Every structure is written in C-alpha cells, then in structure tokens.
Amino acid sequence: MPSNDPPADTGLLSPGWAGSAAEEATSDAAYVRGLLDAESALTRAQAALGFAPSTAAAAVDAAAADTARYDVRDLALRARSGGNPVIPLIADLTAAVTERDPAAGPYVHRGATSQDILDTATMLVAARALEPVLADLRRTAGALAQLAAQHRGTPMPGRTLTQHAVPTTFGLKAAGWRTLVLDAHDRLAAVRKALPVQLGGAAGTLAAFHAFAEADGTAAGRTADAAEAGTAASETAPAAGLPASSATAGPAVDGSPDLGLRLIAAYAEQTGLAEPALPWHTLRTPVADLGGALAFAAGALGKVAADVLVLSRTETGEISEGSGGGSSAMPHKANPVRATLIAAAARQVPSLAAVLYGSLAAEDERPAGAWHAEWQPLREALRQVGGAARDAAELAGGLRIHPHRMRDNLDATGGLIVSERLAAALAALIGRGEAKEALSRAGRRAAEEGIDLYEALEEESALAGVLSKEHLRELTDPATYLGSAIALTDRALRRPDTADGS
C-alpha cells in the first residue's frame, strides 16, 4: 500500500552518503535550521548596532529556536508561489515572534531580501557539513601515512597504460594518495574559512537598512520634541534609539564607517562566517570555489579508489579491503565496496560543480534561474564528498597489503620489467645499438620459450665475458631497481597532516 507520509530522500539510491554526517548536515531540516539561524543573526546584528531593540533580537532568537513549529514539507510546497523557501518561512517566523512579543514582529527580516537569507543559510550549511569531511580526510591521510612508512621499500609493479612499466614501491603509491588527500583537505579548509555571509538587500546596495535607520532616527527626533513640549512619549519611544545623523548614507560625523558596512561586519560576526568585500548576490565566487574544491576532493579520493579497485582484482590481488562486501548471488565474493562507492562519487561531483560554474553567468542584480540552479547540485556535492570522505577513512584504515602478490606480479614477466635498466647498463658496455639488438633478441626468446630474461641474456653471445652472472642477476632483479622511490616517500611523509601542521 502506498504511504501517506510526505516523500523523503532517505539515500536509498545513494548508499555512498546514506547515514553519513554530511547527510544530516545537509538535510531539509538542516537547511531550515540554517535559514532560521541567518534570520536571528540578522536581528542580533541590527540590535548590536542599535538598529533594533534587544528585546526584538531575543524574541527572534526564541522563535527561531523552536524548530518544531516549522513544517519542512509545508514550506517546500508554499515555496512554489514565490520561488524560494525563505518567503513562507518569514511568514511563519514573524507569526511566531509576534506571539512572543508583538512589538518585535516588524524586526524579522528587516531590510533583507530572500537571497540574503538563503545564501547565508547555504554558507552555514556548507560550513557545518565540511567539518566532518575535513576530519575524515585527516583520518584518511593519517592511515595512508602509516601504510606509506610501513611499505616504503615494498616493491611492486609500476603500471602505465594498463601494462607493467618499471618497478615502484607501495610506499610511494600510498604517499601519493596521501598527498592528494592532503591537497583536498587544504583546499576545502581554505574554502571553509572563506565562506562569507551575504547581505545586500533588494539589489546589493543595502538601501533598505538606511531607510529604516533614517525612519527610526526621524521617529526618535519627533519623540524628543514631544517630550520637550511636555507630551507623553511612552507610545512613541524609539525602536532603534538612533540619532538621525547616524542613518546617513556616508560616514558619520565622528568618522565611523558607513551604516551598511558596519551591518555586514556585525552580521558576519553573529553568524561566524567571513565578511565579504561586496554583496555577492550575482558575484558567485564563493559557490563556484566551493564547488571546485568539492570536485577536487571527489577526484582525489577517486584516484585512491581507482587504484584500489585495480589492485584488488582477483588476478592482481596486491591489496584488499579490510571487510569487503558480499554478493547476492556469489557467496565467495568480497567486493571492494568502499572503493566502489568512492568511485561513484568521483564520477558525479564534477558534473555538479559544472552547474555551479555555469551559474557564474548571472544577469542583473538577481538572475532568473542561475541562482536557483545552484541549490540542489551544491547540496548533492556536499553529500557525495561527505560520504566519500567517510568511506575513504574506513578504506584506508582497514586496507590490507599483500607484498607476496606484489613480488609474484613483479616476476610475472621474467625480468622484462627492468628492461629500461638493462638498456642503460648494456649500452655503456657494448654500445647502444648492439645493446638494443641483444635485449630485443633475449626478450623475444624469453617470451616465446617461457624462460626468464636472465636466462636468455646469459646465452647472448654479444654479452659473453661482459657481465658476471652475479651482476646480471642483480640487474634483472626488480626489487633492486627502485630509483628514488624510498627517498621520495620519505620526503612526502615530512609534509604535515594539514596545512597548519595539525
């Protein structure tokens, strides 16, 4: 039977982020929480500057804290009439505030526009969603550092274009993974620190705040005149307590900053977000930068997942997930599920970021559609990266390494994997051209007869008396041809876990 409950996205088709901290931090309820926080912070900011009474700020805070009275589904349906959820929320919040303090109702959303609140709420949601992501990336980097140090000298095949190239070490590979994870962490941390508050009013000039301040100043002046004339002033007490001069468009007589600039700074302080140089209602750098950092993080984790998927194939078997997933049809399988989910996220986030970059081309002082197009892709990108970071931490922490399989695979070509080394060594002894011909003959014979390259080279007449058996065996041992892999690993591990060294 169909349910009468409102539809909800529970992550049924998105197991990568289902149950993650990012899911909770980006839920509809979390967005409503962000919208309410943005509204209450705005009233507090105005009260801090004397543009609203402290009692109004207290009433808005109390009404915003009572989240049970705001029906998320009802807000979503009512949002269709105005195109965004802020409009119905303001009505509900104003009603809640007025119930507590009738005089405080007019200070809800005073001077702001819907985009101010929704953009600020989006930045709050993003900031809160990124905290567990950053923590998971630090966990991932720490686990990879341990693997890199433990296996700094563990030889394995290096592969290019799917084929054996030259030997490398698993430590170097893990150090490379860690470097990407730290790069992702540092980019997201920088974006998180820079997430700005948004406040511009109807068209980015903050003019309404000036108008309200001027009106309050006029009312204050009239009240003072009435008091001097002996008229009772209790019914006309100033709401903001501002002298008329403080509502001017430019700097006040005492040299204090412009009213709007002071309000933006106070709003940033109240929200904990950064203070922007300009209202960014159509200057979408913060959203584009966030989308870009999320896409980079997804790709960085996707590189780790891609390598794990390849190296954990049955015929390769060099690594495996600590607790692989099962199959509905094949009981023997232990699938690399964590890597699979990360790989899925890595394929989705770049296209989501593309939408955010496309929304940079926003016309006028509020675009029709470009702003609206950002909302869901940004939320999904936060969710996908949040889930991928959680899975990456679990993957790295439980990854099992199989050095014996790495050695078996190094020997699979019978020494051909070190042909680069042999070419250099033999060229110095018998000349480049003759060395190439000898190696080509030996390589063909090794492949055709199924013998090691060492054996084939032993019988090359061109090499008779040129190399001792011991030297030839050393040259064909993949484990002795690692170049600077160990030194590079050690240098990479000297990088601290985060940009600030934490």
Side-chain angles (χ1 to χ4, degrees):
M1 295 290 293
S3 172
N4 292 324
D5 294 333
D9 186 352
T10 60
L12 183 65
L13 300 182
S14 301
W17 55 253
S20 68
E23 176 186 15
E24 182 177 357
T26 59
S27 67
D28 282 353
Y31 266 86
V32 171
R33 176 72 273 156
L35 294 169
L36 291 168
D37 288 344
E39 289 286 5
S40 57
L42 179 60
T43 310
R44 289 198 308 273
Q46 295 188 65
L49 297 180
F51 302 156
S54 59
T55 52
V60 175
D61 279 346
D66 184 14
T67 55
R69 72 175 292 150
Y70 305 98
D71 186 323
V72 175
R73 177 63 175 171
D74 181 59
L75 290 171
L77 295 174
R78 290 159 58 202
R80 287 186 54 76
S81 63
N84 74 73
V86 178
I87 297 172
L89 183 68
I90 293 168
D92 293 353
L93 178 59
T94 301
V97 170
T98 302
E99 288 178 12
R100 295 174 179 274
D101 180 358
Y107 292 94
V108 175
H109 198 69
R110 194 186 200 208
T113 191
S114 296
Q115 189 171 358
D116 291 333
I117 301 304
L118 186 51
D119 278 348
T120 298
T122 297
M123 296 295 100
L124 288 171
V125 166
R128 293 162 184 172
L130 286 177
E131 289 307 313
V133 173
L134 293 170
D136 283 336
L137 291 176
R138 289 192 293 270
R139 287 172 53 207
T140 304
L144 292 176
Q146 292 181 7
L147 288 173
Q150 183 180 353
H151 294 281
R152 58 197 288 275
T154 301
M156 66 177 294
R159 297 171 172 93
T160 60
L161 302 181
T162 76
Q163 306 297 300
H164 282 200
V166 296
T168 184
T169 69
F170 182 73
L172 182 58
K173 183 176 288 290
W177 293 346
R178 175 179 179 266
T179 295
L180 275 178
V181 170
L182 290 177
D183 288 346
H185 175 281
D186 292 349
R187 282 163 171 75
L188 285 174
V191 167
R192 161 68 183 85
K193 184 178 180 180
L195 293 175
V197 74
Q198 161 59 22
L199 191 64
T205 65
L206 298 125
F209 297 105
H210 289 266
F212 281 118
E214 289 168 358
D216 289 342
T218 301
R222 290 175 178 170
T223 299
D225 291 342
E228 291 175 3
T231 303
S234 60
E235 296 181 359
T236 57
L242 293 174
S245 62
S246 69
T248 58
V253 175
D254 62 359
S256 60
D258 172 85
L259 178 158
L261 301 186
R262 290 161 58 200
L263 186 55
I264 292 175
Y267 195 29
E269 182 178 1
Q270 291 295 328
T271 59
L273 296 171
E275 179 185 352
L278 291 173
W280 48 276
H281 50 300
T282 50
L283 309 175
R284 308 306 286 175
T285 302
V287 176
D289 281 350
L290 177 56
L294 290 168
F296 182 92
L301 297 176
K303 159 61 177 172
V304 180
D307 281 346
V308 170
L309 291 170
V310 170
L311 297 178
S312 62
R313 285 174 173 163
T314 303
E315 57 270 28
T316 306
E318 295 177 0
I319 62 178
S320 58
E321 288 196 9
S323 56
S327 165
S328 63
M330 294 167 285
H332 68 281
K333 295 197 71 179
N335 295 319
V337 175
R338 301 277 81 74
T340 297
L341 295 177
I342 296 168
R347 284 163 171 76
Q348 295 177 72
V349 179
S351 62
L352 298 170
V355 176
L356 303 179
Y357 279 114
S359 292
L360 280 167
E363 73 279 4
D364 299 328
E365 278 62 57
R366 183 165 298 105
W371 174 50
H372 307 73
E374 295 172 348
W375 305 342
Q376 189 62 22
L378 179 56
R379 170 159 75 170
E380 184 63 18
L382 286 166
R383 287 178 167 179
Q384 291 288 346
V385 172
R390 174 194 60 179
D391 288 337
E394 295 176 359
L395 173 65
L399 199 63
R400 293 184 294 181
I401 314 306
H402 308 300
H404 66 285
R405 289 298 299 270
M406 294 177 178
R407 181 68 212 205
D408 289 345
N409 290 333
L410 274 173
D411 294 336
T413 60
L416 290 175
I417 195 169
V418 293
S419 61
E420 176 188 70
R421 178 191 203 178
L422 288 164
L426 296 179
L429 296 172
I430 61 175
R432 184 175 180 181
E434 192 169 350
K436 182 178 179 180
E437 291 177 5
L439 272 174
S440 296
R441 287 193 302 268
R444 284 194 301 270
R445 184 174 172 220
E448 291 169 358
E449 299 180 14
I451 62 176
D452 287 346
L453 182 61
Y454 166 79
E455 298 175 74
L457 287 172
E458 265 195 318
E459 300 182 15
E460 270 294 317
S461 58
L463 300 180
V466 175
L467 288 172
S468 67
K469 289 184 178 182
E470 292 75 16
H471 193 190
L472 182 59
R473 188 172 292 280
E474 180 185 357
L475 288 175
T476 55
D477 181 2
T480 64
Y481 188 52
L482 301 177
S484 298
I486 294 175
L488 289 168
T489 301
D490 292 343
R491 181 167 70 174
L493 290 178
R494 288 196 289 271
R495 176 179 176 177
D497 284 344
T498 61
D500 60 4
S502 62

